[in-house]
Amino acid sequence: MSARGRLLGVDTGSVRVGLAVSDPERKIASPLETYRRRDQAQEARYFQRLVQHEDIAALVVGLPVHTDGREGVKAAEARQYAAWLTEVTGLPVVFWDERFTTVEAESHLWSAGLTHKQRKERRDRVAAQILLQSYLDVGCPASSRPASLDEQ
């Protein structure tokens, strides 16, 4: 992956996609927005505009794996969505372990005293921020194999 340019963190879901963006130096991740999924044509236009507007160089897509590191149905769906994102944006994708990011996001939002509605509105983009920040914190490796939690 190129060492320059902003990264887009993507926390995929069947209804919503949480998005976060890094600074150009790839030090800090910030929540961007929560995109409500639509038809593929609208979604493709949305992501094409977004990567151009935000000057995105690559995508970091959350890979939901089991605690033992195995991939299941949700991981396969994330890989399929990432392949589609690569096709519509022309950008490279790196997968990153997203275990517990939603739980951590919910905990932070709960601690901030937000209502259920406010937490739901922000949860996915904060999970994407946590995912992207963890990727930035380890130096943006080109690839990673999620390990069992016992191995970490």
Side-chain angles (χ1 to χ4, degrees), residues 63-71 79 95-100 143-152:
L63 190 63
V65 294
H66 299 288
T67 55
D68 64 2
R70 288 180 304 113
E71 293 187 22
R79 287 188 181 280
F95 293 98
W96 196 248
D97 187 346
E98 71 162 26
R99 282 179 280 194
F100 308 115
S143 66
S144 164
R145 183 191 72 77
S148 164
L149 292 181
D150 294 333
E151 296 173 33
Q152 297 180 357

Side-chain angles (χ1 to χ4, degrees), residues 119-134:
R119 290 192 317 271
K120 183 178 178 182
E121 176 188 319
R122 292 168 175 84
R123 183 180 311 124
D124 297 304
R125 71 184 114 180
V126 173
Q129 176 192 18
I130 293 165
L131 159 82
L132 182 56
Q133 189 64 56
S134 69

Side-chain angles (χ1 to χ4, degrees), residues 18-37:
L19 302 168
V21 66
S22 76
D23 62 315
E25 292 77 32
R26 298 183 181 177
K27 301 291 183 198
I28 300 171
S30 301
L32 185 61
E33 62 185 282
T34 302
Y35 176 77
R36 188 157 182 82
R37 306 253 335 241

Side-chain angles (χ1 to χ4, degrees), residues 69-142:
R70 288 180 304 113
E71 293 187 22
V73 173
K74 291 295 183 185
E77 290 172 2
R79 287 188 181 280
Q80 183 178 15
Y81 192 73
W84 176 81
L85 281 173
T86 294
E87 186 179 309
V88 300
T89 65
L91 294 175
V93 168
V94 172
F95 293 98
W96 196 248
D97 187 346
E98 71 162 26
R99 282 179 280 194
F100 308 115
T101 57
T102 301
V103 172
E104 187 177 344
E106 179 69 18
S107 176
H108 289 305
L109 296 168
W110 179 268
S111 295
L114 280 83
T115 66
H116 172 75
K117 183 178 179 181
Q118 291 168 325
R119 290 192 317 271
K120 183 178 178 182
E121 176 188 319
R122 292 168 175 84
R123 183 180 311 124
D124 297 304
R125 71 184 114 180
V126 173
Q129 176 192 18
I130 293 165
L131 159 82
L132 182 56
Q133 189 64 56
S134 69
Y135 177 74
L136 298 173
D137 288 347
V138 297
C140 304

Side-chain angles (χ1 to χ4, degrees), residues 29-69:
S30 301
L32 185 61
E33 62 185 282
T34 302
Y35 176 77
R36 188 157 182 82
R37 306 253 335 241
R38 296 175 178 85
D39 67 80
Q40 259 191 346
Q42 281 184 312
E43 215 161 312
R45 286 190 300 275
Y46 169 81
F47 278 102
Q48 289 164 348
R49 284 191 305 266
L50 177 67
V51 300
Q52 185 173 21
H53 181 261
E54 295 292 335
D55 197 26
I56 303 298
L59 309 171
V60 178
V61 176
L63 190 63
V65 294
H66 299 288
T67 55
D68 64 2

